Amino acid sequence: MKRILVTGGAGYVGARLVPALLKEGHFVRVLDLMLYGEDVFNDIENKDNLEVVKGDLRDLKAVSSSLDKIDTVIHLACISNDPSFELNPDLGKSINFDSFRPLVEAAKASGVDRFINASSSSVYGIKSESNVTEEASLEPLTDYSKFKAMCEEVLLEYASEDFTVVSVRPATVCGYSPRQRLDVIVNILTNHAVNNRKIKVFGGNQLRPNIHIDDMVDVYLLLLNADKNKIHKQTFNAGYENQTVMDLATMVKEVIGDDVDVEVVPTDDNRSYHISSLRIQKELNFTPKRNIHDAVKDLKVAFGDGKLENSFEDPRYFNIKTMIDAEIK
């Protein structure tokens, strides 16, 4: 049994990761501001090995106490996506970057032996080459992605024989979670398809890398259990396939129904992102088990079961709306 601290563990990915860690028999402590509600773990049957700390990553006292008797940190906490970050850049910087070095320092000082850092595939910016590998230059276009890249560098400064560090650069995550996001591309399209029977595609030829949320959970489990010599001071892309926005819309329609109308709208935003995930496949033997259709099917079931009510109005599903309502400083 490992003793794991998951920062941001009540977020979109964390709400799926934490139950998976508990199922593997680990003790899990979550440090989270709980902005999106405190009910994300209600359906977990056995909470004996779960401890939830409502606290701020910028509070060194909360961080230090959360690290007590912890041997592994999975760092997910951040102000996610560019619009949420740009809403309050100073707040975003304070959480996404300024608090990172103190967290890493405290983790190493407290005896943590493995630190798994969630970065982002957005650190590459826009690339013309067909396969964007981990060796590609980092050219982040926004402060959000710039600070993600800078955190990777900071983490490497603290790497040592007894402090294993690894960063993962996920594609855009999609699918159902108890802490649902409906502000990422596949989930947005599915929400509109289910509830409006209409999808609006801006452009359509832009590439967007995605990964099913349960495959993303599997990546963290893999990094948790991997031989340190295979992951120490390494960085791994994590994605499924690079699909065009139109391809994604077509897949959504295939799952939701032929009556869904797809409207194509011209756009000046032709940014196209793509990544290669061959390294994690070759070096860690990781291959995604789910695809975009599976993510859409899971969301369709969740909508049908009444788990995603008021899907256009409830701010919990949209990071930027929650940030505005929370008024955190």
Side-chain angles (χ1 to χ4, degrees):
M1 181 181 75
K2 293 182 172 65
R3 295 181 59 85
I4 304 164
L5 172 66
V6 183
T7 67
Y12 179 43
V13 174
R16 297 289 284 192
L17 174 61
V18 168
L21 293 170
L22 294 171
K23 189 174 182 180
E24 284 204 345
H26 303 301
F27 169 83
V28 181
R29 182 178 293 139
V30 170
L31 176 62
D32 199 296
L33 277 170
M34 311 301 289
L35 292 181
Y36 301 92
E38 301 184 24
D39 58 350
V40 294
F41 303 125
N42 283 358
D43 291 338
I44 296 177
E45 294 182 1
N46 188 348
K47 298 187 179 74
D48 291 346
N49 284 335
L50 174 64
E51 181 181 331
V52 179
V53 178
K54 185 177 181 179
D56 195 319
L57 197 62
R58 299 168 295 175
D59 180 351
L60 281 177
K61 185 176 180 181
V63 168
S64 297
S65 61
S66 296
L67 286 165
D68 183 46
K69 298 178 181 177
I70 292 295
D71 52 58
T72 304
V73 171
I74 302 178
H75 178 56
L76 306 180
C78 70
I79 301 297
S80 297
N81 77 10
D82 294 330
S84 298
F85 192 102
E86 291 162 4
L87 178 69
N88 187 334
D90 290 338
L91 173 66
K93 180 175 181 289
S94 71
I95 292 177
N96 288 18
F97 182 69
D98 295 341
S99 66
F100 185 73
R101 186 182 294 273
L103 170 66
V104 176
E105 287 182 346
K108 186 171 184 177
S110 70
V112 167
D113 58 33
R114 183 166 299 198
F115 194 108
I116 301 168
N117 174 48
S119 185
S120 169
S121 60
S122 67
V123 297
Y124 296 112
I126 299 173
K127 300 292 187 185
S128 58
E129 55 264 46
S130 57
N131 286 313
V132 180
T133 68
E134 290 83 353
E135 287 76 23
S137 61
L138 305 189
E139 300 174 278
L141 300 175
T142 65
D143 282 347
Y144 167 76
S145 50
K146 179 181 76 173
F147 290 130
K148 283 292 187 182
M150 291 168 65
C151 284
E152 291 184 23
E153 296 177 1
V154 169
L155 184 60
L156 287 173
E157 293 177 25
Y158 293 86
S160 65
E161 183 62 30
D162 56 359
F163 190 58
T164 300
V165 301
V166 58
S167 288
V168 59
R169 295 170 180 163
T172 302
V173 182
C174 58
Y176 174 72
S177 168
R179 198 264 103 172
Q180 188 61 48
R181 285 187 65 181
L182 294 174
D183 56 0
V184 287
I185 183 66
V186 172
N187 300 359
I188 291 171
L189 295 174
T190 305
N191 187 20
H192 282 271
V194 169
N195 296 295
N196 289 338
R197 314 309 294 184
K198 184 174 182 177
I199 298 173
K200 189 173 288 188
V201 174
F202 293 89
N205 293 323
Q206 312 97 312
L207 286 170
R208 291 291 183 269
N210 283 268
I211 185 169
H212 191 290
I213 192 166
D214 290 338
D215 283 321
M216 197 62 238
V217 167
D218 286 347
V219 168
Y220 289 116
L221 296 178
L222 180 64
L223 295 175
L224 174 69
N225 297 307
D227 183 326
K228 65 174 288 186
N229 295 317
K230 291 185 176 182
I231 66 169
H232 187 38
K233 297 193 288 187
Q234 297 299 310
T235 303
F236 296 96
N237 292 339
Y240 168 61
E241 290 180 351
N242 301 297
Q243 307 279 3
T244 68
V245 176
M246 180 55 74
D247 285 340
L248 296 175
T250 300
M251 293 177 196
V252 170
K253 178 172 180 172
E254 288 170 353
V255 174
I256 303 304
D258 289 337
D259 65 314
V260 173
D261 180 41
V262 178
E263 178 187 359
V264 179
V265 179
T267 181
D268 294 329
D269 184 3
N270 292 309
R271 291 176 297 171
S272 192
Y273 301 95
H274 49 284
I275 59 171
S276 166
S277 298
L278 287 178
R279 172 184 280 184
I280 197 169
Q281 179 183 338
K282 290 180 178 179
E283 298 184 14
L284 299 181
N285 196 31
F286 175 79
T287 302
K289 299 181 179 68
R290 300 95 176 168
N291 57 32
I292 304 302
H293 287 88
D294 295 322
V296 177
K297 289 174 185 175
D298 292 344
L299 287 167
K300 181 181 179 181
V301 170
F303 279 114
D305 290 345
K307 294 180 178 179
L308 300 174
E309 296 180 345
N310 302 316
S311 61
F312 292 108
E313 294 80 25
D314 194 326
R316 290 182 302 166
Y317 306 130
F318 305 92
N319 283 3
I320 194 163
K321 290 182 180 180
T322 299
M323 291 290 299
I324 291 171
D325 289 353
E327 297 183 343
I328 58 172
K329 298 178 180 179

